Amino acid sequence: MYLRAADKRAKSIARSLSDLAEQEASSRAEAEILAARRHKLDELRERGVDPFPYSFTDPEPEPIADVRAAYDELPAGEETDERRRIAGRLASRREQGGMAFLDLVDRSGRIQLQAKSDVLSQEQFSLISELVDLGDLLGIDGRVFVSQRGELTIQIEQVTLLAKALRPPPDKRHGLQDPETKYRRREVDLLSNEESRAVFIARSHIIAAFRRELNADGFLEVETPTLQTLYGGAAAEPFVTHHNALDRTLYLRIAPELYLKRCLVGGLERVYEIGKNFRNEGLSPKHQPEFTSIEWYEAYAEYHKAADRTEHLVRAAAEAAGYDYTAEGAIRFDLPWRRVTFVEVVEEATGIDLLAHLGYAVGDGQFEIVDANGDPTGELVDQDEFLRRAVKAKPKVAKEIDNLDQLTWPQLADELLGTFVEPALIQPTFILDHPVELSPLAKRHRTIDGLTERWEAYANGQEIANAFSELNDPDEQRRRFEAQTRYSEGGDAEAQPYDEAFVQALEQGMPPAGGVGVGIDRLVIMLTRSKTIRDVILFPALREN
RNA sequence: GCCCUCGUAGCUCAGUUGGUCAGAGCAGCGGACUUUUAAUCCGACGGUCCCCGGUUCGAGCCCGGGUGGGGGCACCA
């Protein structure tokens, strides 16, 4: 009787081949593969088997990992009378005449199945051997035993087709490898690569850890606009769009910061938001146009407290991801993070004291140059030129800096940090007290002129977090915005726009606060040991193909 | 935006100086096989060598352009 089925199959394949070849298949080989599965779909329906039933929940199947855990002590050859119900995708098949071994994969793991012709009805056995393909979704009721080779196995007593796969899965050994296809057809990557599934499971656990820890400390999760009438809270170029009914320009947010501070003004006191930000900039292994951040704001705290909380949260995230601190090159999020000031760390790396000019001030923003012996030369320059001279005195440093003569003091300070310090910051490090010009939303440093109470946290050579003692003096904030407006008029596309609604909110009275933003994607890259941001974002932005 | 690099069967990959170079494994198809796990064995099939143009007696291979991926620079998190 199987011969008759094979006969019918040959005819049916011939029939559907011509259809498929015209439609979607790009080659005869592909058309044959698709036609064979289409035929089996027809044959299933002819036999009265629903290839797409509604559910498999009575009773619920167990996660495969739970079944494995329950029997991990059984010795090879052990038989049991225990029944288990599982469900998943058929990943592999090893046939041996009247018997076959199959591998079933679900979200939690993989397990071996056994189908025997003398255990199953003829109908059920032929379903498995003739009409079920790799990639199909199956529900299994069966009996637990351990094979002679010691593999925990479910002997199938009842198989239920849960969904027919009409396209073949990738290579069963290598999975889907082509990076382009992995990103464009992530579902195929996920179903065929356990490592990819593991990354996104870890990502979910990382975000859940932030939520859990912040909620436990009395923080409220809030949602603020992603479509904003004015963008702010970071230095970046926005996406611009238009709302028809309101007939106005809207921007996709580049950061939630300003709205979250307005929540502080409103008395919510401890708030956080996890969500997407959008920046209209280039793509790279570290950049995507939409990315996920978490920002939290804590009233009555300042930036040292914010650093303590960041250490705690990131450590909790690492644990949630199952990060292995004993592995080669591990980043020790579990140890206290190094804390060093911007000025100290730049001097350590380059020998240049960013604040040296302060000792030679002669008033009116002028500073007197001294010679190599420290003797005054009488030459007066501004702060920018003073630092440029210091850099030029170190040729090894100067040759790494492009357009040295065009750079202002804060730009040059940032450049020195980025070039000589950041790449070497593998272990978690807080860099504290940034120049005020680089930090328009941070409070001035309580003791050092020209600096702010800000830190950026680095690990693996990348920035992972940014925080301030939040500026809450509305008049000072207004002056900072005005300075940004001047940079903007000077051609800086990323200078922050003046936000009067935000300043008025500060006039209402914002409590002193510490605020932190963490780039979730980059943290996930590190905690899952991924190579690029595309590997931790399910559906990354790509060119149209 | 600029520079470098890659694109071969549904999937994973070979392909030498330009001359049996249209190849293998997996998957699929037909068959054998009741403890395998990269199952094994036999058989037949399967190709827009990314696209367009050029050089050449001859191009998967060389050249030009395009396109998509990857890497780097710049900008940024």
Side-chain angles (χ1 to χ4, degrees):
Chain A
M1 81 161 274
Y2 297 152
L3 276 180
R4 219 192 51 181
D7 242 20
K8 245 159 86 179
R9 185 178 312 166
K11 280 179 197 155
S12 171
I13 289 174
R15 191 172 60 241
S16 30
L17 254 180
S18 54
D19 299 344
L20 283 162
E22 280 172 31
Q23 291 169 16
E24 48 202 318
S26 58
S27 71
R28 177 137 177 257
E30 189 175 7
E32 274 177 9
I33 287 166
L34 298 178
R37 287 181 181 246
R38 289 274 170 189
H39 163 265
K40 290 179 184 174
L41 184 70
D42 296 340
E43 180 70 19
L44 284 162
R45 288 188 165 123
E46 275 182 41
R47 291 195 193 181
V49 177
D50 182 355
F52 299 104
Y54 288 89
S55 67
F56 191 66
T57 53
D58 193 21
E60 295 267 358
E62 288 180 83
I64 285 171
D66 291 2
V67 176
R68 299 195 75 97
Y71 296 101
D72 63 351
E73 301 285 291
L74 288 186
E78 183 85 358
E79 303 280 337
T80 80
D81 288 325
E82 299 193 34
R83 266 68 185 176
R84 295 281 172 162
R85 164 170 275 209
I86 55 178
R89 193 180 292 273
L90 186 61
S92 168
R93 163 144 69 185
R94 298 170 292 282
E95 289 187 52
Q96 270 175 81
M99 187 265 272
F101 286 107
L102 314 161
D103 290 345
L104 197 74
V105 171
D106 76 359
R107 65 187 183 284
S108 72
R110 173 186 284 249
I111 197 166
Q112 176 167 272
L113 312 174
Q114 185 194 46
K116 291 185 80 172
S117 60
D118 54 6
V119 170
L120 291 159
S121 69
Q122 192 180 46
E123 195 184 340
Q124 283 260 301
F125 189 74
S126 82
L127 176 71
I128 294 170
S129 61
E130 294 182 40
L131 299 181
V132 162
D133 288 306
L134 294 188
D136 288 357
L137 293 154
L138 302 177
I140 301 296
D141 293 284
R143 188 180 61 83
V144 175
F145 76 104
V146 180
S147 75
Q148 289 173 7
R149 298 287 181 88
E151 179 86 11
L152 182 69
T153 306
I154 306 289
Q155 185 177 80
I156 303 172
E157 294 179 326
Q158 178 76 34
V159 60
T160 309
L161 180 62
L162 299 180
K164 184 74 190 156
L166 295 175
R167 292 180 178 277
D171 188 287
K172 68 181 180 186
R173 304 213 290 260
H174 308 96
L176 182 59
Q177 294 301 317
D178 176 51
E180 181 176 357
T181 312
K182 282 164 74 88
Y183 303 144
R184 289 196 195 278
R185 304 197 57 206
R186 181 69 86 182
E187 64 284 357
V188 181
D189 175 42
L190 290 170
L191 73 87
S192 67
N193 293 108
E194 189 182 349
E195 319 82 73
S196 290
R197 283 199 300 278
V199 165
F200 292 101
I201 291 168
R203 180 179 176 119
S204 179
H205 291 165
I206 287 165
I207 291 171
F210 277 101
R211 276 207 172 88
R212 185 186 65 235
E213 296 298 318
L214 286 167
N215 289 350
D217 281 345
F219 282 77
L220 289 177
E221 182 168 11
V222 297
E223 294 168 276
T224 67
T226 48
L227 279 174
Q228 301 184 346
T229 54
L230 194 61
Y231 59 96
E237 197 162 345
F239 286 91
V240 185
T241 187
H242 183 261
H243 190 283
N244 291 338
L246 297 174
D247 188 25
R248 70 177 304 176
T249 298
L250 291 174
Y251 303 91
L252 273 66
R253 76 173 176 202
I254 59 174
E257 172 150 355
L258 303 186
Y259 283 99
L260 289 171
K261 288 186 197 170
R262 289 165 72 171
C263 294
L264 291 184
V265 172
L268 296 181
E269 292 190 341
R270 291 186 173 200
V271 293
Y272 70 97
E273 179 164 11
I274 297 169
K276 290 285 184 72
N277 300 309
F278 307 87
R279 298 188 184 177
N280 204 343
E281 291 163 354
L283 289 79
S284 86
K286 294 176 184 172
H287 301 87
Q288 277 276 302
E290 58 180 289
F291 65 98
T292 301
S293 73
I294 178 168
E295 291 198 9
W296 68 89
Y297 291 82
E298 179 176 357
Y300 316 121
E302 44 72 89
Y303 74 144
H304 290 101
K305 178 77 187 295
D308 294 342
R309 191 178 290 286
T310 302
E311 278 189 66
H312 169 74
L313 289 171
V314 171
R315 182 174 180 173
E319 278 160 19
Y323 188 75
D324 178 10
Y325 292 118
T326 65
E328 169 104 23
I331 301 167
R332 300 304 300 267
F333 293 111
D334 56 330
L335 303 177
W337 299 12
R338 183 183 178 208
R339 299 188 188 197
V340 61
T341 70
F342 195 116
V343 171
E344 284 166 359
V345 79
V346 167
E347 178 155 22
E348 181 183 291
T350 66
I352 292 168
D353 178 4
L354 294 171
L355 300 181
H357 58 282
L358 295 179
Y360 301 96
V362 295
D364 207 22
Q366 297 291 299
F367 304 89
E368 184 172 4
I369 296 284
V370 296
D371 65 19
N373 299 323
D375 296 326
T377 60
E379 185 182 2
L380 299 182
V381 299
D382 65 12
Q383 179 183 341
D384 299 336
E385 181 60 19
F386 195 95
L387 181 56
R388 287 194 290 258
R389 295 287 184 91
V391 171
K392 286 173 184 170
K394 307 253 179 207
K396 281 182 192 161
V397 175
K399 77 179 173 61
E400 302 293 332
I401 308 291
D402 294 333
N403 303 319
L404 178 55
D405 286 318
Q406 273 72 255
L407 297 180
T408 61
W409 184 83
Q411 289 171 329
L412 192 45
D414 202 33
E415 187 71 22
L416 291 172
L417 184 79
T419 304
F420 295 96
V421 179
E422 284 181 18
L425 298 176
I426 302 305
Q427 293 303 325
T429 304
F430 292 108
I431 307 267
L432 298 100
D433 303 341
H434 293 54
V436 64
E437 293 88 342
L438 297 173
S439 313
L441 301 167
K443 258 182 150 65
R444 284 187 183 278
H445 195 277
R446 62 193 81 178
T447 55
I448 306 172
D449 194 37
L451 302 183
T452 54
E453 297 204 348
R454 175 185 184 180
W455 52 255
E456 290 182 305
Y458 291 85
N460 202 31
Q462 294 183 37
E463 184 188 339
I464 57 168
N466 180 28
F468 321 130
S469 294
E470 300 294 342
L471 176 57
N472 62 344
D473 175 340
D475 295 333
E476 169 83 13
Q477 184 66 72
R478 197 170 262 123
R479 287 193 293 275
R480 300 279 189 91
F481 275 139
E482 283 163 357
Q484 290 289 312
T485 302
R486 287 194 297 278
Y487 298 148
S488 177
E489 285 162 357
D492 184 350
E494 290 177 342
Q496 304 196 29
Y498 191 113
D499 190 333
E500 178 61 23
F502 174 63
V503 176
Q504 286 191 17
L506 294 186
E507 287 176 339
Q508 211 71 51
M510 185 179 98
V516 182
V518 174
I520 294 289
D521 309 277
R522 290 186 174 180
L523 187 61
V524 174
I525 291 172
M526 283 175 225
L527 294 181
T528 60
R529 301 173 192 279
S530 296
K531 292 194 164 45
T532 93
I533 195 168
R534 288 181 296 268
D535 290 333
V536 304
I537 288 178
L538 277 168
F539 300 96
L542 296 175
R543 278 195 175 77
E544 196 176 359
N545 71 339

